[in-house]
């Protein structure tokens, strides 16, 4: 008989079901393990960001006071010097971000995470030993701001893009905002206790720099022992040591090689960075110190309360909005809230007005209004085969340009208004127009298909 023609007994479905169930369970288990691994990496990246923000924010009151003392109590001269140094930081960051971001695509992110805290140990010690040397203090401020920002924003954005994409990337970015809020809760206690001893003397303020160096040392230890490399070796590129690597204007490729949607998104998010806290901090400190008459304790309590609200918003309202609103919807809501809050907060010298206007800006404060569009832009850039580290550097170089222009402009407008007897608080309305109203007008011109290009 033909053996091939003999029918074989059918395998019962019940016998096949356990094998299928086992395979499905293994796939679910693998997916859950991958999700848990991504979550762990995101939380450790957030922890590194927390340390970086602590090293930056611990000078919220002390550095403006130190520069005021070094400028012989001339508030206009101090405002100009702080603004000008911030402008220099923005320009020099162009080179550091471009070279460092591109290099991180070749050697990994971890060395970049270490650069900031290791440098801050040295810079903090130098100022501690030489608090009355204005040129040295100024140079140390410039270097600290450049390197801390690189290790925080450039490396964190690149590392998060290694781990997440799409809406998951936007939610991960919102957790960075929560880490920022927690840092703002803790550092004022340290700074405030030190300033209580001698709030205006460089010899007293120098201990804040010693505290910063200690935080930087703890940060270094954390990165070395706890932060895993996010860029696997198989995804690294070969670095070419040429002029393109240090070209500070490499971001021009976004506007020459990127799609129109990517170009528009990057332009919008760059303008939104005009409202970043570091761009506003100098004029805010001058306003609340000189016009609202707040003491060291008042400023400390404000920072703590503000940090608590930022943390709560970053853990509740912002994730809810990102999950339930489209990228356009989230951006529109946060932009319009910023237009209102920044436009009103400086209309007159009123502590009640200043504090009340803090609430509506919370979902989009400190550049958080760009969270949704940044995730869309990153996905489009990845599809166009731009390196994640390099694209992060380009975005942050544009951010650095905003950081070079904004503090200088705000400082000059503020100082000019004071000298002519006008209300310097109107500088906040100027910031809201550039950082929220103008980006919203540009977003209104974008089509839904452009926003869905990712």
């Amino acid at each position: 008989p033909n053996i091939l023609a003999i029918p074989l007994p059918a395998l019962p479905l019940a016998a096949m079901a356990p094998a299928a169930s086992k395979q499905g369970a293994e796939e679910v288990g693998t997916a859950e393990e991958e999700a848990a691994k991504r979550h762990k990496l995101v939380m450790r990246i957030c922890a590194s960001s927390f340390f970086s923000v602590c090293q930056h924010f611990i000078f919220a009151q002390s550095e403006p006071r130190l520069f005021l003392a070094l400028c012989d109590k001339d508030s206009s001269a101090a405002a100009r010097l702080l603004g000008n140094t911030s402008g220099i930081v923005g320009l020099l960051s162009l080179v550091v971000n471009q070279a460092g971001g591109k290099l991180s695509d070749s050697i990994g992110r971890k060395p970049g995470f270490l650069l900031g805290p290791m440098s801050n140990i040295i810079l903090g010690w130098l100022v501690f030993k030489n608090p009355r040397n204005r040129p040295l203090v100024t140079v140390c401020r410039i270097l600290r701001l450049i390197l801390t920002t690189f290790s925080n924003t450039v490396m964190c954005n690149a590392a998060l893009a290694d781990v997440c994409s799409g809406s998951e990337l936007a939610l991960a970015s919102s957790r960075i905002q929560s880490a920022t809020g927690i840092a703002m809760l803790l550092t004022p206690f340290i700074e405030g206790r030190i300033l209580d001893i001698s709030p205006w003397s460089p010899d007293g303020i120098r201990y804040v720099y010693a505290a910063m160096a200690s935080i930087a040392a703890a940060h270094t230890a954390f990165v070395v022992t706890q932060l895993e490399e996010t860029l696997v070796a198989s995804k690294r590129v070969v670095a070419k040591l040429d002029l393109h690597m240090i070209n500070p204007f490499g971001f021009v490729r976004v506007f020459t090689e990127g799609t129109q949607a990517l170009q528009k998104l990057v332009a919008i998010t760059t303008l939104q960075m005009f409202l970043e806290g570091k761009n506003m901090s100098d004029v805010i400190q001058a306003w609340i110190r000189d016009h609202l008459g707040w003491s060291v304790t008042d400023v400390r309590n404000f920072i703590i309360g503000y940090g608590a609200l930022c943390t709560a918003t970053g853990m509740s309202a912002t994730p809810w909005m990102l999950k339930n609103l489209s990228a356009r919807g989230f951006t529109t809501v946060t932009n319009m809230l910023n237009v209102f809050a920044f436009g009103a907060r400086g209309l007159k010298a009123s502590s009640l007005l200043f504090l009340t206007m803090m609430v509506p800006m919370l979902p989009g404060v400190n550049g958080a209004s760009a969270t949704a569009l940044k995730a869309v832009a990153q996905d489009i850039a990845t599809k166009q085969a731009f390196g994640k580290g390099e694209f992060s550097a380009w975005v942050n170089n544009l951010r650095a340009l905003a950081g070079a222009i904004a503090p200088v402009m705000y400082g000059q407008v503020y100082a000019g208004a004071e000298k002519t007897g006008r209300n310097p608080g109107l500088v906040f309305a100027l910031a809201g127009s550039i950082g929220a109203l103008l980006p919203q007008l540009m977003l209104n011109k974008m089509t839904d298909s452009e926003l869905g290009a990712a």
Side-chain angles (χ1 to χ4, degrees), residues 66 91 100 141 166 172 290-291 383 425:
L66 178 58
L91 293 175
R141 167 182 159 87
D290 301 333
H291 291 270
K383 283 187 175 182

Side-chain angles (χ1 to χ4, degrees), residues 81-105:
L81 181 56
L82 287 168
N84 291 339
T85 55
S86 295
I88 294 170
V89 167
L91 293 175
L92 293 181
S93 292
L94 298 177
V95 177
V96 174
N97 291 345
Q98 169 66 26
K102 192 172 181 66
L103 186 62
S104 76
D105 284 333

Side-chain angles (χ1 to χ4, degrees), residues 40-62:
K40 184 179 77 170
L41 284 170
V42 167
M43 295 310 293
R44 292 189 178 183
I45 293 167
C46 288
S48 179
S49 180
F50 162 79
F51 279 112
S52 292
V53 175
C54 284
Q55 291 161 67
H56 175 76
F57 211 78
I58 197 170
F59 299 109
Q61 294 189 70
S62 51

Side-chain angles (χ1 to χ4, degrees), residues 94 97 149 153-154 157 391-401:
L94 298 177
N97 291 345
T149 299
T153 310
V154 178
N157 286 348
F391 182 72
S392 177
W394 292 343
V395 170
N396 280 281
N397 273 354
L398 287 166
R399 177 182 177 232
L401 278 179

Side-chain angles (χ1 to χ4, degrees), residues 272-337:
Q272 288 174 306
M273 293 303 104
F274 273 75
L275 295 183
E276 272 200 298
K278 66 178 184 178
N279 295 333
M280 301 294 304
S281 61
D282 294 334
V283 292
I284 288 175
Q285 286 298 315
W287 176 251
I288 62 180
R289 181 189 66 224
D290 301 333
H291 291 270
L292 302 186
W294 290 8
S295 65
V296 170
T297 303
D298 293 332
V299 176
R300 183 198 66 191
N301 292 340
F302 162 70
I303 293 172
I304 292 169
Y306 179 62
L309 289 172
C310 284
T311 303
T313 305
M315 292 180 174
S316 56
T318 302
W320 184 90
M321 291 171 68
L322 287 168
K323 288 178 181 177
N324 292 279
L325 297 176
S326 64
R328 183 191 294 276
F330 175 87
T331 308
T332 298
V333 170
T334 52
N335 275 343
M336 297 316 296
L337 287 172

Side-chain angles (χ1 to χ4, degrees), residues 139-396:
V139 170
C140 287
R141 167 182 159 87
I142 291 170
L143 292 175
R144 189 191 79 246
L145 291 175
I146 292 171
L147 299 177
T148 302
T149 299
F150 172 77
S151 287
N152 184 26
T153 310
V154 178
M155 285 299 97
C156 283
N157 286 348
L160 287 177
D162 291 336
V163 178
C164 309
S165 62
S167 59
E168 189 179 14
L169 177 59
L171 287 170
S173 298
S174 75
R175 291 193 177 99
I176 295 287
Q177 297 294 323
S178 298
T180 299
I182 295 171
M184 291 172 63
L185 279 173
L186 297 180
T187 49
F189 284 108
I190 302 171
E191 184 188 31
R193 290 297 296 271
I194 296 172
L195 290 180
D196 282 341
I197 300 170
S198 182
W200 291 106
S201 171
D203 294 324
I205 295 173
R206 71 189 185 121
Y207 287 97
V208 179
Y209 288 83
M212 186 274 291
S214 300
I215 295 171
H219 188 188
T220 301
F222 173 83
V223 173
V224 170
T225 61
Q226 299 298 317
L227 188 60
E228 299 176 33
E229 176 58 62
T230 60
L231 184 62
V232 296
S234 60
K235 294 185 177 181
R236 297 181 189 181
V237 299
V238 177
K240 296 180 180 179
L241 299 177
D242 53 22
L243 291 178
H244 292 291
M245 186 169 187
I246 60 172
N247 177 14
F249 302 105
F251 59 78
V252 173
R253 288 181 59 194
V254 171
F255 301 100
T256 57
E257 300 176 25
T259 62
Q260 283 195 354
L262 183 61
Q263 294 172 25
K264 293 176 182 178
L265 288 170
V266 170
I268 290 170
T269 56
T270 299
L271 284 172
Q272 288 174 306
M273 293 303 104
F274 273 75
L275 295 183
E276 272 200 298
K278 66 178 184 178
N279 295 333
M280 301 294 304
S281 61
D282 294 334
V283 292
I284 288 175
Q285 286 298 315
W287 176 251
I288 62 180
R289 181 189 66 224
D290 301 333
H291 291 270
L292 302 186
W294 290 8
S295 65
V296 170
T297 303
D298 293 332
V299 176
R300 183 198 66 191
N301 292 340
F302 162 70
I303 293 172
I304 292 169
Y306 179 62
L309 289 172
C310 284
T311 303
T313 305
M315 292 180 174
S316 56
T318 302
W320 184 90
M321 291 171 68
L322 287 168
K323 288 178 181 177
N324 292 279
L325 297 176
S326 64
R328 183 191 294 276
F330 175 87
T331 308
T332 298
V333 170
T334 52
N335 275 343
M336 297 316 296
L337 287 172
N338 280 340
V339 170
F340 168 68
F342 277 92
R345 77 187 311 193
L347 288 177
K348 63 177 183 177
S350 166
S351 294
L352 178 61
L353 178 64
F354 186 84
L355 292 171
T356 302
M357 288 302 104
M358 180 176 67
V359 178
M361 65 175 66
L362 284 171
V365 77
N366 198 30
S369 56
T371 302
L373 294 188
K374 277 186 173 180
V376 177
Q378 178 64 67
D379 286 347
I380 295 175
T382 300
K383 283 187 175 182
Q384 289 193 245
F386 290 131
K388 291 176 180 177
E390 188 171 30
F391 182 72
S392 177
W394 292 343
V395 170
N396 280 281

